[in-house]
């Protein structure tokens, strides 16, 4: 079996060719980070235009690496939810065009399920049933996962996503986008105990929800008091910046790991699988490993390159192929929706 997978949900244009055993025969990725950096975040209209430029070369490169032609494919799979509408549409249009031209079946990929499936690709072990934690720029969600495409939502964030909080706090600190890697780097020289930032929701073990906006506001008050915000004028020394970054990172990671442990208890699950860009964070990985040893659960976190957006995790399409789940060519994008199946 040979499947072409396409990812264009946010600011990475990516394609991969995988076989039925999850071997990656080709993988190509064009990042837009530099384009959005000067705006401090992803600008949707620019993102979709960039996807338009990158999509065909990226697909061609993945096919070339795999040393196959489009005729050899058994199916074309594409992320159609969730994500930025204009960005998703570019990948979907490309996938449909190949399906029409080469008479191939179309498979839909749910981006969040794919983030968890990155663990399956990386470790090739039986992950399910498990609790799935997805921590990305747009999502901080917990799921009870009975199988690779069988997710039941447990809860999500009531305000900012974890990655979004990293990005916003980085911007307050004058650190470049994307904020996660910048904060991680700045935090290396900081004291994580310098500031005692809040750990929202941790004292409510039955609530499967996250909240990061209060934490973000606590950082803001620490930086500029309660007065008018003028980040441009912000004059803090390197050590203070590093200490705030380290203390903030510590608080976010405590919230994510603590809530995941509460979810495992609630579901009586013994396995935690984590996906999404924030799962690339070294402090998060360290704390999750500590918790796994302490509370005796199995932990799967893909290597950092498979945590941030990529098309390899689209190997989840193999599962839909095997289940005979193909789409009509009128398939649409669902920007904000999580597949409820
Ligand atoms: O999964 P992803 O690549 O794209 C979305 O689906 O959103 O996640 C991107 C998010 C960004 O907010 C970025 O700041 C964050 O993941 N991120 C990190 C790290 N690397 C990426 N956050 C913390 N530490 C990192 N090392
Ligand atoms: Zn993602």
């Amino acid at each position: 079996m040979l499947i072409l997978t396409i990812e264009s949900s946010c600011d990475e244009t990516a394609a991969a060719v995988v076989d039925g055993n999850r071997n990656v025969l080709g993988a190509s990725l064009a990042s837009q980070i530099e384009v959005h950096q000067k705006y401090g975040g992803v600008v949707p209209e620019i993102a979709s235009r960039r996807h338009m430029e990158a999509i065909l070369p990226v697909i061609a490169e993945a096919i070339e690496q795999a040393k196959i032609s489009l005729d050899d494919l058994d199916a074309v799979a594409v992320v159609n939810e969730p994500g930025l509408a204009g960005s998703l549409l570019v990948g979907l249009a490309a996938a449909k065009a190949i399906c029409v031209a080469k008479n191939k079946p179309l498979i839909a990929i749910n981006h969040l399920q794919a983030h968890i499936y990155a663990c399956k690709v990386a470790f090739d072990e039986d992950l399910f049933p498990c609790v799935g934690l997805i921590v990305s720029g747009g999502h901080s969600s917990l799921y009870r996962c009975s199988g690779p495409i069988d997710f039941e939502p447990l809860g999500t964030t009531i305000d900012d996503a974890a990655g979004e909080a990293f990005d916003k706090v980085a911007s307050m600190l004058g650190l470049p986008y994307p904020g996660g890697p910048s904060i991680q780097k700045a935090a290396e020289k900081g004291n994580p105990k310098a500031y005692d930032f809040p750990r929202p929701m941790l004292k409510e073990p039955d609530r499967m929800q996250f909240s990061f906006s209060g934490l973000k506001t606590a950082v803001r008050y620490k930086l500029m008091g309660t007065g008018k915000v003028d980040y441009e004028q912000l004059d803090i020394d390197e050590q203070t910046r590093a200490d705030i970054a380290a203390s903030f990172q510590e608080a976010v990671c405590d919230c994510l790991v603590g809530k995941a442990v509460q979810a495992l208890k609630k579901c009586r699950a013994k396995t935690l699988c984590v996906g999404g860009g924030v799962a690339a964070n070294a402090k998060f990985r360290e704390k999750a490993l500590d918790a796994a040893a302490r509370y005796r659960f199995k932990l799967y976190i893909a290597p950092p390159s498979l945590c941030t957006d990529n098309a390899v995790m689209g190997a989840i399409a193999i599962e839909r192929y095997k289940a005979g789940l193909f789409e009509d060519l009128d398939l649409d994008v669902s920007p904000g929706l999580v597949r409820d199946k």
Side-chain angles (χ1 to χ4, degrees):
M1 187 202 301
L2 287 175
I3 302 183
L4 171 67
T5 64
I6 299 173
E7 154 71 49
S8 69
S9 65
C10 188
D11 60 346
E12 320 280 357
T13 322
V17 177
V18 294
D19 71 12
N21 296 320
R22 286 176 290 276
N23 294 311
V24 181
L25 309 183
S28 163
L29 187 147
S31 170
Q32 302 182 4
I33 284 178
E34 275 177 27
V35 186
H36 299 287
Q37 221 155 27
K38 66 172 171 243
Y39 305 103
V42 178
V43 182
E45 180 61 26
I46 296 177
S48 38
R49 284 166 194 242
R50 280 288 165 143
H51 283 305
M52 296 267 284
E53 288 164 15
I55 193 83
L56 295 182
V58 161
I59 291 173
E61 194 187 324
I63 293 286
E64 203 180 304
Q65 281 178 17
K67 299 192 172 61
I68 60 162
S69 80
L70 292 175
D71 295 304
D72 300 322
L73 293 170
D74 291 291
V76 180
V78 62
V79 172
N80 75 319
E81 64 176 355
L84 300 170
S87 293
L88 289 165
L89 275 169
V90 177
L92 182 60
K96 285 182 182 176
I98 297 172
C99 289
V100 171
K102 300 291 179 182
N103 196 23
K104 305 291 179 189
L106 178 66
I107 297 175
I109 297 173
N110 175 296
H111 182 76
L112 304 182
Q113 292 174 351
H115 266 308
I116 294 299
Y117 202 77
C119 298
K120 181 81 182 165
V121 178
F123 299 101
D124 203 22
E125 288 185 23
D126 285 337
L127 310 178
F128 305 100
C130 68
V131 165
L133 169 66
I134 295 141
V135 278
S136 69
H139 298 269
S140 301
S141 311
L142 283 159
Y143 291 86
R144 193 196 301 260
C145 313
S146 311
I149 50 175
D150 191 358
F151 280 35
E152 183 196 329
L154 290 169
T156 185
T157 176
I158 58 167
D159 39 58
D160 292 350
E164 191 179 356
F166 268 101
D167 295 337
K168 287 177 177 170
V169 167
S171 157
M172 288 181 204
L173 290 171
L175 296 169
Y177 176 85
S182 306
I183 286 194
Q184 178 174 319
K185 188 153 190 301
E188 282 168 12
K189 297 198 179 89
N191 173 7
K193 294 198 168 80
Y195 300 96
D196 188 20
F197 291 129
R199 269 84 170 145
M201 299 288 183
L202 275 193
K203 295 204 178 91
E204 298 170 80
D206 290 326
R207 259 182 103 176
M208 292 292 103
Q209 286 170 326
F210 298 100
S211 169
F212 294 109
S213 82
L215 173 56
K216 183 188 68 190
T217 307
V219 174
R220 202 190 90 167
Y221 286 167
K222 195 59 70 184
L223 275 169
M224 23 242 164
T226 51
K228 189 170 171 288
V229 182
D230 194 348
Y231 302 118
E232 304 286 313
Q233 304 289 312
L234 194 63
D235 183 24
I236 52 169
D237 60 79
E238 281 307 304
Q239 192 55 50
T240 308
R241 182 178 277 119
D243 287 346
I244 290 181
S247 304
F248 164 78
Q249 176 175 265
E250 192 81 5
V252 175
C253 295
D254 280 347
C255 291
L256 295 174
V257 173
K259 197 47 86 180
V261 169
Q262 290 171 0
L264 285 161
K265 282 187 189 153
K266 191 181 169 92
C267 298
R268 297 176 196 274
K270 302 211 159 17
T271 306
L272 176 69
C273 293
V274 194
V278 180
N281 183 272
K283 177 57 78 176
F284 171 79
R285 298 170 83 94
E286 182 192 312
K287 283 185 178 280
L289 271 174
D290 286 351
R294 180 156 173 214
Y295 298 104
R296 294 167 196 275
F297 60 86
K298 274 190 173 178
L299 173 69
Y300 294 100
I301 314 180
S305 63
L306 286 183
C307 289
T308 47
D309 287 350
N310 65 86
V312 170
M313 65 192 191
I316 193 173
I318 297 166
E319 308 289 342
R320 295 187 78 83
Y321 187 98
K322 286 182 184 159
L325 294 171
F326 301 106
E327 307 299 326
D328 291 332
L329 285 174
D330 62 358
L331 177 71
D332 203 352
V333 298
S334 301
L337 298 177
V338 177
R339 185 179 295 269
D340 192 18
K341 276 182 194 163

